[in-house]
């Protein structure tokens, strides 16, 4: 087939992702160029690349229909860049563009860049989240490196030479040695460019060893043209309001090998999502105990005058911001964690409060300890569990700043064994090597802390909230099971044999689940149980499809658009939903309408302060106050249904009247858009479960959200360690409610989308109650399918 999509691994909906089309007379040439360029971007950051080329039977040249098909395959709301091998193809491409829909043609750009260099630059730049103009500029400038290397030593007349900037007296500077084995190749250069993007700073880079530069750090081609190799010296001159943050970012990216592992203690990249692909986070770990404390002794701190303390504090904050900003630009969904922490640290009210404390004669250490502790205490006292867990983020930031003030590096270093830590903060979690750190035990903190989630995502098993672990001596043999949440100190031979048996059993399950994941999950009676995925972004969708998901049982729309600075229009939402559908290979989408309120807040949705937000205007209740938002979203869902099978699901319902209102709004939208969607409600409260039969005349299916149902039934917050034991494993009262709801909808789809659905040991019980669908985290699809086949 002349037109072929080579790669379609979109990263996420919160960053631009440009589509790329390669037009070549020869398919072999095009394929080779794409194969090479694709290696320069992480798989989860790689843009769509479509090829229109000569056919496989050696025919040369791409036809207009070939090119049209490729352009449509690579189309993205963020734009499409077209590269051609020979000038004779330009007219053919222009003809193809003229046949496209106006919306696609308007954001399609044909670049005159050379095919190979231009494609390499375009892929590497697009992978950083750059916009269309930046990607086109990078492609067009792709010959800069060759031009400079072949130029004479006297470059004063070289029109391509970058002018030397005027360096103001207040400029900051940094000099460092490149340690990467192969120097700053395009991927590492792209990491540097992406890390500095968005900062209010002008960064000029120079290869001091070769005398090349300066080059602006905003230009991928310019940075690559510096030709930095291992052992050579890179210098940076930085000006602008965020010069200090940019300096810290460069320093931290260099320590992290610009995204490439270097040295004995690399900062390993995570997978593309906060999900353990290999299920290593479920594995047993046994090894020697290693301790690391993030507590910093401040008794030796010597305060200075107000000006000195302010300079120290600002320097420390900017250094931490640099690390956070650098991590926010590295691949992986954990980037959003660090972005959020950086935003918090730059909060002008927080900065003002810290400076006021300094003006009142307090030391930098004292104001950080006092103000951050007060903020953490406020969050810890809140009713909703999500915000309470975020108090650990505040504590983590305070410790990082204090470490900077004391000149202490908070890094556990090389961990060969089981790490015992008071709390696992995100910056510590990303430094742990999954190959060396066998597991982590925290002395305090819940299982939903960002550091714990990041470590688990990277395949490191974690057991949380074990204060007794603080007394374990270094080198003592420790065992841990993250599934049971247990630890063993000096395990006996019998303990070790049982742990090895469990470890082997889980490894075998993972292997078999992967082999069979794309086959239907059939019970022993021949009933098919759909095993679907809970989706929060495009990476989730692609991971779910790769793991054999039967569709999505929950698309969290509030997560998809959490970072948007405006309420997305119906058309914008429909475009994102369609991307999710493509990620799932066209399988069924179950889209939950805005589930806002309580612990789920959106920056563009006005809200009111509530004494107890978890019992306030959540889900559908909140949307009755903002019906326009619901109408836009239902319109987007209806538009999506024209191209892919879609169901809509209303969250947090308790009575018939609110469901009837929502269904009426949906019917009005469907009448206008000619959409076709099934409709359901979430069963998340005891009231909805007890009266599920009342909804049978209004909706087609139900989905039981066991997380909220358990908390509301047991009056216990699962993140509160004092009462979390009441919510674990599925209390019998909750199972009774699940049975009532399933019985009311017997003969119709009954789904479960909470954490209990992802427990393979519970699959048989769900099936016995009449559950027909289980929606789980993307990485668990194969394991749950296996459990349905072997345990029901």
């Amino acid at each position: 087939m002349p037109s072929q999509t080579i790669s379609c691994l979109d990263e996420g909906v919160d960053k631009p992702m440009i589509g790329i089309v390669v037009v070549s007379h020869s398919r072999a040439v095009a394929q080779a160029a794409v194969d090479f360029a694709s290696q320069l971007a992480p798989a989860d950051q790689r843009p769509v690349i479509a090829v229109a080329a000569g056919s496989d039977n050696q025919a040369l040249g791409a036809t207009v229909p070939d090119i049209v098909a490729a352009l449509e395959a690579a189309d993205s709301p963020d734009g499409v860049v077209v590269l051609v091998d020979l000038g004779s193809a330009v007219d053919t491409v222009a003809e193809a563009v003229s046949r496209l829909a106006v919306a696609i043609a308007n954001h399609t750009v044909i670049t005159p860049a050379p095919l190979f260099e231009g494609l390499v630059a375009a892929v590497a730049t697009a992978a950083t989240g750059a916009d269309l103009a930046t990607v086109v500029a990078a492609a067009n400038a792709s010959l800069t490196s060759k031009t400079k290397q072949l130029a004479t030593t006297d470059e004063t007349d070289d029109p391509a030479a970058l002018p030397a900037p005027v360096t103001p007296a207040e400029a900051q500077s940094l000099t460092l040695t490149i340690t990467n084995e192969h120097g700053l190749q395009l991927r590492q250069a792209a990491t540097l460019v992406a890390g500095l993007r968005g900062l209010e700073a002008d960064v000029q880079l120079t290869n001091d060893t070769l005398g090349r530069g300066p080059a602006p750090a905003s230009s991928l081609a310019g940075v690559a043209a510096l030709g930095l190799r291992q052992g050579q010296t890179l210098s940076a001159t930085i000006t602008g309001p965020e010069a200090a943050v940019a300096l810290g970012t460069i320093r931290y990216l260099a320590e992290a090998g610009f995204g490439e592992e270097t040295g004995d203690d690399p900062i390993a990249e995570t997978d593309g999502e906060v999900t353990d692909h290999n299920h290593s986070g479920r594995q047993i770990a046994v090894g020697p105990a290693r301790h690391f404390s993030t507590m910093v002794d401040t008794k030796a701190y010597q305060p200075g005058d107000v000006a000195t303390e302010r300079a120290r504090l600002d320097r420390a904050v900017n250094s931490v911001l640099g690390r956070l900003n650098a991590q926010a630009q590295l691949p992986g969904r954990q980037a959003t964690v660090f972005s959020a922490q950086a935003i918090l640290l730059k909060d002008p009210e927080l900065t003002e409060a810290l400076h006021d404390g300094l003006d009142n004669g307090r030391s930098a250490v004292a104001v950080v300890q006092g103000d951050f502790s007060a903020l953490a205490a406020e969050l810890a006292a809140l009713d909703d569990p999500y915000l309470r867990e975020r108090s650990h983020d505040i504590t983590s930031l305070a410790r990082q700043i204090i470490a900077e003030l004391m000149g202490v590096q908070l890094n556990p270093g090389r961990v060969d064994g089981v790490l015992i830590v008071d709390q696992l903060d995100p910056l510590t979690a990303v430094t742990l090597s999954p190959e060396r750190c066998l597991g982590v035990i925290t002395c305090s903190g819940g299982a939903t802390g960002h550091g714990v989630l990041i470590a688990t995502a990277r395949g490191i098993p974690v057991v949380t909230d074990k204060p007794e672990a603080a007394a374990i001596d270094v080198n003592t043999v420790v065992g841990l099971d993250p599934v049971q949440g247990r630890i063993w100190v000096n395990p006996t031979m019998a303990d070790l044999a049982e742990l090895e048996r469990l470890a082997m059993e889980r490894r075998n399950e993972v292997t078999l689940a992967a082999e069979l994941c794309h086959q239907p999950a059939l019970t022993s009676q021949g009933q098919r149980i759909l095993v679907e995925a809970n989706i929060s972004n495009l990476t989730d969708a692609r991971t779910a499809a790769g793991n054999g998901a039967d569709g999505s049982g929950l698309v969290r729309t509030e997560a998809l658009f959490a970072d948007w600075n405006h309420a997305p229009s119906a058309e914008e939402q429909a475009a994102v939903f369609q991307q999710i559908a493509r990620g799932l290979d066209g399988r069924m989408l179950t889209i939950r309408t805005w589930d806002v309120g309580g612990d789920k807040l959106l920056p563009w949705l006005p809200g009111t302060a509530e004494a107890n937000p978890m019992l306030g205007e959540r889900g559908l209740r909140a949307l009755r106050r903002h019906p326009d938002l619901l109408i836009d979203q239902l319109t987007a869902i209806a538009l999506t249904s024209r191209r892919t099978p879609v169901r809509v699901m209303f969250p947090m319902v308790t009575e018939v009247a609110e469901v009837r209102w929502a269904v009426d709004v949906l019917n009005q939208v469907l009448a206008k858009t000619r959409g076709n969607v099934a409709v359901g409600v979430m069963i998340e409260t005891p009231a909805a479960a007890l009266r599920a039969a009342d909804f049978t005349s209004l909706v087609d299916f139900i989905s039981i959200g066991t997380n909220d149902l358990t908390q509301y039934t047991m009056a216990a917050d699962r993140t509160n360690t004092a009462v979390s034991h009441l919510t674990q494993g599925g209390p019998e009262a909750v199972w009774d409610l699940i049975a009532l709801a399933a019985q009311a909808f017997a003969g119709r789809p009954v789904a479960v989308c909470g954490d209990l659905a992802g427990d393979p040991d519970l699959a048989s019980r769900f099936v016995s109650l009449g559950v027909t669908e289980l929606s789980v985290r993307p990485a668990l699809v194969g394991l749950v399918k296996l459990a349905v086949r072997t345990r029901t």
Side-chain angles (χ1 to χ4, degrees):
M1 184 175 180
S3 176
Q4 180 184 13
T5 301
I6 301 297
S7 172
C8 189
L9 296 170
D10 311 73
E11 176 202 11
V13 301
D14 57 333
K15 291 184 179 180
M17 183 53 70
I18 306 302
I20 298 175
V21 171
V22 174
V23 179
S24 174
H25 287 71
S26 166
R27 176 158 298 279
V29 169
Q31 184 70 57
V34 170
D35 288 346
F36 180 83
S38 296
Q39 299 176 39
L40 300 176
D44 64 328
Q45 304 283 319
R46 204 173 294 154
V48 176
I49 309 175
V51 170
S55 62
D56 294 328
N57 62 6
Q58 304 300 315
L60 296 178
T63 65
V64 170
D66 295 340
I67 300 171
V68 169
L71 289 168
E72 291 177 341
D75 181 44
S76 161
D78 302 304
V80 180
V81 177
V82 184
L83 297 106
V84 301
D85 59 350
L86 298 173
S88 58
V90 171
D91 288 342
T92 310
V93 174
E95 172 63 23
V97 171
S98 70
R99 299 187 186 184
L100 295 172
V102 175
I104 301 177
N106 286 345
H107 60 217
T108 298
V109 177
I110 308 171
T111 171
L115 178 63
F116 195 85
E117 290 93 339
L119 180 61
V120 166
V123 170
T125 305
T128 71
D131 59 18
L132 179 63
T134 303
V135 173
V136 171
N140 291 342
S142 58
L143 281 181
T144 302
S145 179
K146 281 184 181 177
T147 302
K148 284 187 169 294
Q149 291 176 18
L150 295 173
T152 62
T153 56
D154 181 8
E155 297 184 349
T156 55
D157 296 326
D158 181 5
L162 296 168
V166 177
T167 305
E170 69 271 20
Q172 300 210 31
S173 61
L174 171 70
T175 300
L176 54 87
T177 301
I178 300 299
T179 60
N180 299 70
E181 181 179 359
H182 301 293
L184 254 60
Q185 300 293 319
L186 266 177
R187 182 184 296 181
Q188 291 74 46
T191 298
L192 175 57
V193 172
L196 296 170
R197 179 169 291 127
L199 293 179
E200 290 187 60
D202 176 60
V203 182
Q204 298 290 331
L205 303 175
T206 302
N207 182 333
D208 285 349
T209 304
L210 299 180
R212 290 181 182 166
S218 58
S219 168
L220 178 61
V223 175
L226 295 176
L228 287 155
R229 298 292 178 260
Q230 186 180 42
Q232 294 181 351
T233 301
L234 167 68
S235 68
T237 301
I238 314 168
T239 58
E242 293 187 290
V245 177
L247 185 144
T249 299
I250 298 172
R251 180 182 290 119
Y252 191 69
L253 285 172
E255 292 172 357
F258 299 101
E260 173 188 47
E261 293 188 358
T262 58
D264 291 332
D265 294 299
I267 296 177
E269 295 182 7
T270 69
D271 293 319
E273 55 165 345
V274 182
T275 299
D276 177 15
H277 290 279
N278 300 315
H279 310 287
S280 304
R282 289 172 46 86
Q283 288 296 343
I284 302 292
V286 179
R290 302 285 188 257
H291 282 270
F292 170 65
S293 176
T294 56
M295 303 297 292
V296 180
D297 187 355
T298 61
K299 291 192 293 290
Y301 187 75
Q302 296 293 324
D305 57 24
V306 173
T308 299
E309 290 301 280
R310 179 174 288 219
R312 289 175 177 176
L313 178 60
D314 290 346
R315 187 163 53 247
V317 168
N318 284 325
S319 181
V320 174
L321 275 174
R323 288 199 293 273
L324 295 173
N325 185 66
Q327 283 294 336
Q329 300 301 332
L330 293 175
R333 272 183 57 198
Q334 80 283 351
T336 60
V337 173
F338 296 106
S339 293
Q341 288 195 329
I343 291 171
L344 188 153
L345 197 52
K346 290 190 287 187
D347 187 316
E349 291 188 7
L350 177 61
T351 301
E352 183 179 358
L354 294 173
H355 286 171
D356 286 346
L358 298 178
D359 293 339
N360 290 328
R362 298 162 65 198
S363 71
V365 167
V367 297
V368 171
Q369 289 175 330
D371 290 18
F372 277 78
S373 295
L375 180 56
E378 288 181 17
L379 291 176
L382 294 176
D383 290 324
D384 74 74
Y386 179 84
L387 290 178
R388 185 162 57 250
E389 193 69 32
R390 300 292 72 78
S391 66
H392 298 313
D393 290 351
I394 304 299
T395 303
S396 167
L397 290 174
R399 291 175 178 176
Q400 295 289 334
I401 296 170
I402 290 173
E404 287 291 332
L405 290 169
M406 297 302 300
V408 175
Q409 187 173 11
L410 279 186
N411 190 318
R414 178 170 178 151
V415 178
D416 292 306
V418 176
L419 180 67
I420 299 174
V421 64
D422 42 358
Q423 290 181 359
L424 185 60
D425 64 82
L427 282 172
T428 299
V430 296
T431 67
L432 301 176
S433 169
E435 289 74 32
R436 301 190 184 105
C437 182
L438 302 176
V440 176
I441 301 171
T442 72
C443 298
S444 63
T448 59
H450 282 144
V452 175
L453 295 176
I454 290 172
T456 302
R458 303 176 71 235
I460 300 173
V462 182
V463 172
T464 62
D465 197 37
K466 299 294 179 183
E468 64 271 23
I472 299 175
D473 292 332
V474 174
N475 290 327
T476 299
V477 176
V478 180
L480 64 92
D481 180 0
V483 175
Q484 301 180 59
R486 290 186 59 191
I487 64 172
W488 291 259
V489 182
N490 282 321
T492 65
M493 294 301 294
D495 291 334
L496 290 172
E498 176 60 14
L499 289 172
E500 178 56 33
R501 185 194 68 78
L502 280 174
M504 180 64 70
E505 181 180 286
R506 290 181 190 167
R507 285 195 293 269
N508 290 340
E509 282 185 344
V510 168
T511 301
L512 185 58
E515 292 175 354
L516 302 177
C517 69
H518 291 286
Q519 298 182 18
L522 302 177
T523 69
S524 59
Q525 303 299 314
Q527 178 189 2
R528 181 175 183 179
I529 303 298
L530 297 181
V531 180
E532 301 153 326
N534 300 332
I535 302 296
S536 296
N537 54 56
L538 285 170
T539 302
D540 281 350
R542 294 203 169 278
T543 301
N547 288 341
D550 296 315
S552 172
L554 171 62
V555 175
R556 298 185 176 99
T557 56
E558 67 282 351
L560 285 177
F561 301 97
D563 294 333
W564 285 48
N565 59 10
H566 68 280
S569 67
E571 291 75 17
E572 288 173 324
Q573 291 182 65
V576 172
F577 295 154
Q578 198 56 52
Q579 288 179 323
I580 297 291
R582 288 199 297 267
L584 275 170
D585 295 335
R587 299 181 180 97
M588 172 71 75
L589 295 183
T590 304
I591 301 175
R592 181 175 68 187
T593 56
W594 301 120
D595 188 12
V596 294
D599 60 343
K600 300 165 185 172
L601 305 176
L602 293 170
W604 40 264
L605 179 62
T608 57
E610 296 178 297
N612 191 343
M614 296 299 288
L615 296 178
E617 286 192 326
R618 291 190 58 192
L620 199 55
R621 300 172 183 175
L623 291 177
R624 297 194 76 171
R625 185 187 291 272
H626 306 285
D628 53 325
L629 293 178
L630 179 61
I631 291 171
D632 280 350
Q633 186 162 69
L634 293 177
T635 301
I637 293 171
L639 293 173
T640 304
S641 72
R642 296 176 179 177
R643 302 178 65 180
T644 195
V646 175
R647 301 188 300 192
V648 64
M649 183 164 66
F650 298 114
M652 194 52 61
V653 303
T654 54
E655 60 179 9
V656 169
E658 58 193 4
V659 177
R660 182 175 291 115
W661 170 80
V663 172
D664 286 345
V665 174
L666 173 63
N667 288 334
Q668 293 172 31
V669 169
L670 293 178
K672 294 179 180 179
T673 59
R674 299 189 300 278
N676 180 27
V677 300
V679 60
V681 293
M682 291 196 70
I683 304 297
E684 301 169 278
T685 64
L690 289 167
R691 305 294 301 181
D694 294 348
F695 303 118
T696 55
S697 63
L698 294 172
V699 300
D700 304 302
F701 70 96
I702 58 172
S703 182
I704 302 169
T706 58
N707 296 350
D708 276 334
L709 182 60
T710 300
Q711 293 189 126
Y712 285 125
T713 301
M714 304 305 294
D717 172 8
R718 64 195 179 112
T719 68
N720 184 335
T721 55
V723 295
S724 60
H725 64 281
L726 296 172
T727 69
Q728 293 173 357
E732 288 304 314
V734 175
W735 283 106
D736 289 345
L737 292 172
I738 294 172
L740 282 173
Q743 183 179 2
F745 272 74
R748 302 195 199 184
V750 176
V752 177
C753 63
D755 284 350
L756 293 182
D759 186 341
D761 294 332
L762 301 179
S764 61
R765 188 167 186 180
F766 278 124
V767 172
S768 71
L769 294 178
V771 171
T772 61
E773 302 177 24
L774 296 168
S775 191
V776 304
R777 289 190 292 120
L780 295 176
V781 169
L783 283 175
V784 175
K785 277 191 165 186
L786 181 65
V788 170
R789 297 187 192 99
T790 58
R791 305 183 194 182
T792 61

